[in-house]
Amino acid sequence: MEATAEQLLWMYEKMVEIREYEETMAKVYLEAKLPPKIQKGLAFDIGAGPVPGEMHLAAGQEPVAVGVCAHLRRDDTVVGAHRPHHFAIAKDVDLNAMTAEMYGKATGLGRGKGGHMHLFDPAVKFSCSGIVGAGAPQACGAALAAKKLGTDAVAIAFFGEGAANQGAFHEALNLAALWKLPVVFVVEDNKYGISVEKSASTAIASNADRAAAYGMPGVLVEKNDAVAVFEAAGVAVARARRGEGPTLIEVKTDRYYGHFQGDPETYRPKGEAKELRQHDPIPTLGALLRSRDLLDDEADAALRARVSARVQAAYDFGRNSPYPEPQDALLHVFAE
Amino acid sequence: MSTTTTTRRLTMAQAISEATAQEMARDPRVFVMGEDVGKYGGIFSATTGLLDQFGPERVMDTPISETGFMGAALGAAAEGLRPISELMFVDFFGVCFDQIYNHIAKNHYMSGGACKYPLVITTGIGGGYNDAAQHSQCLYSIFAHVPGLKVVVPSNAYDAKGLMTSAIRDDNPVVFLYHKGIMGLSWMSYFEGSTNEVPEEQYTIPFGQARVVREGSDVTIVTLSQMVQKSVLAAEKLAEEGISAEVLDLRTLVPLDRAAVLKSVKRTGRLLVADEDYLSYGLSGEIAALVAENIDTVRLKAPVRRLAVPDVPIPFSRPLENFAIPQVENIVASVRGLMTFKLDQ
């Protein structure tokens, strides 16, 4: 399935947006976390600054999100993982409310109750979880609902290669194949499960091979490339929509930042992240667009200005929104 | 409104499956899944007859993979369906607790109220039939401890039907725990009292309303589930000795009818909590703390007493199990002890 000009341009713009979002967050997140004079034993205060808590950035992994989400509709479900921004942005989650959530503001998606690992936007059927592997069975449930309701909606579970060693992953794959659920499991292999290299956690080279054990197609996308992901996902999503069951896709991708911001990355060869950025998938897609006369300098500049304005507006909205009233902590334990 | 009511005597298992069937007929979004809920009708008969009536699309046997189908229940509930997901024995919660306490219980809260998860987890609890430590626990306090789950523990068929109907209609996750020993199973001896008159018509029992099973003036026995039947038997024995025991069935742990507990204890001045869960950090401690926190309004004539499993796993051998799980005679003895106590004035 070949991407149309419109789809290619959409993926490019979304990738630029995700990158801009993540690079901005990398700066915003650091505010007030590094003391002016590094104190002994305290170099980084995770709870300080405008955006508190852990922060997991996805810069470098944009192709996985856009290549899959280019095939999705508003009524398709996406369950993301603890590193969720690229999926959320590609699924058109409300950017202002999502950003406000990370600031812990009353205007956030979860009114400040979830934070960056727990983003819920029912309007576009997006959710994620801070628990590794937990989203896979949940995506099965959404797919089951689509089947029961007689719609042709599909569900996507995104997670890292570390999650593929969780029991939840294996139970979900079996259930999906058994019940022929319209679900696509997408493994982002960014080589590291927190600090542990894939070769030290997983007995086989590609999780795509595990699909055979459950009787579903397994596809390995070896390039961190939006078009390559788009093509693999297109087949899988179409298959799911036709009611023919699940697919497992593994994408080899790159994580430019540490597992979390502040991660000393002692497990990583020096200069690795810098080296990975030499193969940035965004200029690669940009070059493809240019070769097809779909993009020129002027259009690129206009697109980047548009994206910057959106991202900046989201950060301004988050920063300037009010905090919730402290006693609002007591609300929303139960639905009324 | 109809004024004619047809009642029959039903077992608790029949009452639960009838409530489920009536809700499934009323609301096409309701469906059941779990291990052996189809042809087998549920290992404790909680889904008997449902497959014949509704077919395999709505009564789904699952693989033995609780994480998978509990997570699927959440995902389906998020899309507006109303799953009933059976965890065969509560003892198995460990294999899927992440989905229950990190997701099913918390996602509504973390979404700031934006998402709803209307689902029911049904599960069998309790011992008394020598199934040992991995198949005999109650554990409801663990579920009640985590904010975001409603916890229902019925003691009889009438309540079970009304509470189950409420559970399915609730927009929140509800954990519905039924004691195997009062389901009315033909293959398990049980205490009289759980099989009772049940109207054919649908009805609901609101959560958070304890029921006075037996009125009394000398002592309040706060209890639930199968221990209600044991407490009633104990109260009958105590009556022969001239001791008037009130038996209060909590029916739900979340929400908890604190007012009913306090009202009764204020009147009787004595409290025994009779519980089949573990003693420490559990329901009995919660009820005792409730009274302690209101000691300015409750005039106790004796210290609070707790009767529960003495912090040992449930043993297999009959005399060991009988010792570990509170019995009728233990309740009688505890109440007698409360009656002889003289508090310094």
Side-chain angles (χ1 to χ4, degrees), chain B residues 240-263:
Chain B
E240 291 165 14
E241 301 171 19
I243 299 170
S244 169
E246 179 146 305
V247 178
L248 189 69
D249 179 358
L250 290 171
R251 301 203 285 197
T252 64
L253 296 197
V254 181
L256 178 63
D257 192 351
R258 294 183 166 85
V261 174
L262 290 173
K263 187 179 160 200

Side-chain angles (χ1 to χ4, degrees), chain B:
Chain B
M1 211 175 134
S2 170
T3 50
T4 56
T5 306
T6 313
T7 63
R8 308 89 357 116
R9 288 182 68 77
L10 293 188
T11 65
M12 208 162 92
Q14 288 167 332
I16 292 168
S17 61
E18 182 169 283
T20 307
Q22 288 178 343
E23 273 308 285
M24 287 178 76
R26 194 184 73 94
D27 185 346
R29 297 170 301 173
V30 179
F31 71 101
V32 179
M33 62 178 158
E35 292 150 5
D36 306 288
V37 298
K39 265 187 203 151
Y40 199 100
I43 205 83
F44 304 117
S45 303
T47 58
T48 298
L50 297 181
L51 178 69
D52 289 343
Q53 207 176 332
F54 297 101
E57 294 294 314
R58 293 185 71 194
V59 184
M60 307 175 75
D61 275 328
T62 61
I64 300 173
S65 53
E66 290 83 356
T67 295
F69 67 79
M70 284 300 165
L74 177 148
E79 302 291 325
L81 297 184
R82 305 182 82 87
I84 300 165
S85 197
E86 176 147 304
L87 173 65
M88 190 184 281
F89 289 70
V90 75
D91 313 71
F92 305 165
F93 84 89
V95 296
C96 60
F97 209 36
D98 175 60
Q99 291 296 338
I100 298 173
Y101 87 112
N102 265 326
H103 297 90
I104 290 171
K106 294 173 182 166
N107 277 9
H108 175 73
Y109 185 80
M110 292 199 296
S111 78
C115 302
K116 285 182 186 174
Y117 304 89
L119 61 92
V120 183
I121 298 170
T122 54
T123 187
I125 62 169
Y129 63 109
N130 314 95
D131 220 9
Q134 295 171 344
H135 292 76
S136 303
Q137 302 167 96
C138 283
L139 297 177
Y140 31 69
S141 290
I142 288 177
F143 296 89
H145 186 65
V146 179
L149 299 171
K150 294 190 179 178
V151 179
V152 179
V153 196
S155 70
N156 63 83
Y158 179 88
D159 284 3
K161 181 173 175 182
L163 291 166
M164 186 65 183
T165 305
S166 295
I168 299 169
R169 292 182 188 180
D170 203 294
D171 277 342
N172 293 285
V174 178
V175 186
F176 189 99
L177 305 100
Y178 51 77
H179 196 295
K180 294 158 248 169
I182 51 173
M183 287 291 268
L185 305 171
S186 58
W187 45 277
M188 193 180 286
S189 66
Y190 83 116
F191 284 80
E192 292 293 329
S194 59
T195 296
N196 55 10
E197 300 281 320
V198 178
E200 253 177 52
E201 292 76 15
Q202 282 195 288
Y203 58 94
T204 57
I205 294 177
F207 295 163
Q209 292 187 9
R211 184 173 69 100
V212 178
V213 180
R214 183 191 162 100
E215 289 186 359
S217 54
D218 293 327
V219 57
T220 301
I221 303 173
V222 170
T223 189
L224 75 170
S225 191
Q226 192 195 50
M227 205 60 81
V228 170
Q229 277 74 33
K230 290 182 180 173
S231 297
V232 168
L233 290 175
E236 284 165 7
K237 278 194 185 172
L238 289 162
E240 291 165 14
E241 301 171 19
I243 299 170
S244 169
E246 179 146 305
V247 178
L248 189 69
D249 179 358
L250 290 171
R251 301 203 285 197
T252 64
L253 296 197
V254 181
L256 178 63
D257 192 351
R258 294 183 166 85
V261 174
L262 290 173
K263 187 179 160 200
S264 179
V265 179
K266 272 181 202 175
R267 213 160 44 73
T268 62
R270 296 181 185 89
L271 170 65
L272 171 70
V273 188
D275 185 15
E276 198 185 312
D277 208 344
Y278 301 119
L279 178 69
S280 296
Y281 310 102
L283 170 71
S284 62
E286 185 66 32
I287 300 297
L290 170 69
V291 171
E293 283 168 347
N294 290 276
I295 203 70
D296 54 333
T297 63
V298 179
R299 216 176 117 82
L300 285 180
K301 298 170 189 160
V304 171
R305 281 277 159 84
R306 297 190 286 155
L307 201 51
V309 175
D311 299 338
V312 294
I314 311 298
F316 166 71
S317 168
R318 191 170 298 118
L320 301 180
E321 190 192 41
N322 283 344
F323 177 84
I325 297 176
Q327 306 298 339
V328 175
E329 48 273 28
N330 303 120
I331 299 171
V332 171
S334 292
V335 171
R336 276 195 202 120
L338 277 173
M339 295 307 296
T340 57
F341 211 93
K342 294 271 185 286
L343 272 189
D344 291 340
Q345 294 303 307

